[in-house]
Amino acid sequence: MARKVDFKTSVAVMLSGLDVPAKRLQDLVGREKPPGQHHMRYTPADLRSARYRFAGIDPTNIPKSKGKPKTGAIPPIIMTRMTKGGVGKTSISVNAATALALMGYRVLVIDADPQATASNLLGVESTFDTTIKHIGHFLVKKSADPDTDLSEAIVHVYEGGFLDVIPSDITLAEADASLVTAMASHERALLFLKRNGAFLSENYDVIVVDTAPGTTPIGLAFSYAAKESGKVLTVVEPEGSCLRALDSLSSNLAEIEAMTGAKIGLEVVINKYHPQLKHVRESMGFLYSKYGTMLNDSIVPTFSGFSRQLNPQTREAVPLVESDPSSAGSIAIIDVAKSLILSFGITQPGLPKVDTER
Ligand SMILES: Nc1ncnc2c1ncn2[C@@H]1O[C@H](COP(=O)(O)OP(=O)(O)OP(=O)(O)O)[C@@H](O)[C@H]1O
Ligand SMILES: [Mg+2]
């Protein structure tokens, strides 16, 4: 089901993050418009190559030694957590993952929510007779050996390995229940990532994990695993109950640190921003004063297009950033994705990481 994606020049210039005009971008991409095609269309692979050429590296000859991840090293993990439901965790994480994929980073999305909203937004639907291998299948294993069945669980959304997903379905709730009684259940996600480190670091530049609302064992396990990246991503709506939930999430991370020594910070994306509302303005004041240093640079406005979008030809769901990359919602998400590249240290083999400390 892997599909081919391409986009027009203005979108390519915005996604590239290279701050170069269209003509220079086309030179960096290193290919001409195919004969018979009216306008140049760019692909994720084009932007990946452009990033190499911009750094003076021939993309067909990437130095293997420089920047090659250590065996077992885990790519940066962006896991979203928020106790309150419906704030936009899935909309932000799936669309940011898609934006990173369109930019030419190789992204693995792990749907860790039994409601499977992330899978559905990516066009993976569950029917009565479909069987999928969700992340719970791997989290219940205690083994330290790499999973020989991991590639069976992966669904390719985009051609070229730019966007893959380990989808979920409602039976993931059973794995969540099993983890309640498991010993050291908080370590299971880290164990999964470590035992598959070689495969993951060879195939992906970043892993995005979408979790269920509330505090679930799988959510806790991925929070602990996020110690490798140093932080978890949270999404808040600027309103009272969300701010209280943010306080309790912050206390939970402090508890994890007290229990395990794992120091895990927070990066906060403000979503559904509506400046006209009085309580929103008051909540923004609270967010800036208490969480100012943890706020992502971009604020995502209220925008109706985040609901499920369908490709008119195939009738399959596609994320907003793919279906309408120039919309106000997508521009905000692309900005979020660009700041995640910096704050989570996302890069591609052979290129240096951009300084992560902001
Ligand atoms: N910026 C936005 N503007 C308007 N609607 C939005 C925005 N972000 C998300 N939504 C809508 O809010 C609803 C909840 O979004 P989403 O499923 O992403 O939240 P969630 O936090 O993942 O929810 P859950 O807690 O159930 O996992 C969806 O209908 C989505 O389309
Ligand atoms: Mg969700």
Side-chain angles (χ1 to χ4, degrees):
M1 70 167 266
R3 63 180 179 266
K4 191 175 175 321
V5 277
D6 60 15
F7 33 86
K8 60 185 181 184
T9 303
S10 59
V11 172
V13 168
M14 171 172 66
L15 284 167
S16 77
L18 295 175
D19 202 15
V20 292
K23 179 74 195 74
R24 170 96 172 108
L25 182 63
Q26 189 171 350
D27 291 345
L28 289 168
V29 162
R31 71 177 175 90
E32 293 297 317
K33 175 167 71 64
Q37 194 175 300
H38 221 58
H39 294 287
M40 180 74 178
R41 302 281 300 175
Y42 291 85
T43 64
D46 285 335
L47 295 189
R48 188 174 183 84
S49 303
R51 226 171 282 113
Y52 280 122
R53 287 205 183 88
F54 189 75
I57 295 174
D58 174 3
T60 58
N61 185 23
I62 297 150
K64 284 275 177 275
S65 53
K66 207 170 107 196
K68 185 174 190 289
K70 291 190 287 302
T71 309
I74 307 170
I77 312 153
I78 304 178
M79 79 83 75
T80 46
R81 231 189 105 186
M82 180 18 92
T83 326
K84 188 171 184 294
V87 295
K89 289 181 293 301
T90 308
S91 306
I92 304 279
S93 60
V94 166
N95 279 288
T98 306
L100 291 167
L102 294 176
M103 291 173 194
Y105 293 101
R106 300 163 307 163
V107 184
L108 174 66
V109 174
I110 300 180
D111 190 348
D113 182 352
Q115 304 310 320
T117 322
S119 308
N120 297 161
L121 281 180
L122 289 168
V124 184
E125 309 281 347
S126 154
T127 57
F128 186 71
D129 51 5
T130 47
T131 46
I132 61 148
K133 212 165 239 177
H134 52 55
I135 188 67
H137 169 81
F138 302 98
L139 296 181
V140 296
K141 294 189 199 174
K142 280 184 286 190
S143 156
D145 298 332
D147 295 305
T148 50
D149 52 352
L150 184 56
S151 49
E152 288 166 33
I154 294 171
V155 175
H156 304 293
V157 180
Y158 285 175
E159 263 183 23
F162 290 103
L163 186 58
D164 284 354
V165 58
I166 298 183
S168 135
D169 67 18
I170 197 66
T171 61
L172 180 62
E174 290 155 26
D176 233 332
S178 320
L179 285 188
V180 174
T181 50
M183 289 283 284
S185 59
H186 67 287
E187 288 178 357
R188 293 299 179 85
L190 189 59
L191 185 63
F192 162 77
L193 294 165
K194 286 208 159 146
R195 66 177 184 255
N196 298 298
F199 173 87
L200 295 170
S201 60
E202 209 178 300
N203 289 289
Y204 301 106
D205 303 314
V206 59
I207 298 173
V208 175
V209 184
D210 184 46
T211 63
T215 306
T216 63
I218 292 180
L220 282 173
F222 273 109
S223 299
Y224 180 72
K227 73 182 178 135
E228 299 289 310
S229 300
K231 60 174 102 177
V232 301
L233 185 71
T234 189
V235 176
V236 296
E237 281 176 48
E239 57 82 36
S241 62
C242 228
L243 302 183
R244 282 195 293 277
L246 181 59
D247 275 351
S248 69
L249 174 57
S250 170
S251 319
N252 178 251
L253 294 177
E255 276 164 24
I256 295 181
E257 185 178 351
M259 295 267 291
T260 66
K263 207 166 169 42
I264 303 157
L266 267 177
E267 175 151 349
V268 183
V269 174
I270 299 172
N271 187 31
K272 304 196 190 182
Y273 176 62
H274 196 317
Q276 275 78 30
L277 295 168
K278 180 167 172 275
H279 78 277
V280 167
R281 292 221 298 273
E282 285 168 6
S283 300
M284 292 298 283
F286 172 89
L287 279 167
Y288 278 106
S289 62
K290 190 158 180 195
Y291 292 95
T293 56
M294 300 175 200
L295 295 180
N296 184 285
D297 292 343
S298 329
I299 294 177
V300 183
T302 299
F303 181 74
S304 58
F306 281 110
S307 53
R308 193 158 13 165
Q309 305 289 315
L310 289 185
N311 176 319
Q313 268 95 46
T314 63
R315 314 298 300 161
E316 280 174 2
V318 287
L320 172 72
V321 170
E322 179 188 334
S323 64
D324 191 3
S326 309
S327 63
S330 296
I331 289 170
I333 294 281
I334 290 166
D335 263 4
V336 169
K338 284 181 182 168
S339 62
L340 295 178
I341 292 171
L342 302 181
S343 59
F344 281 81
I346 303 167
T347 188
Q348 48 199 67
L351 290 186
K353 247 196 269 187
V354 185
D355 188 6
T356 57
E357 287 311 312
R358 286 186 300 144

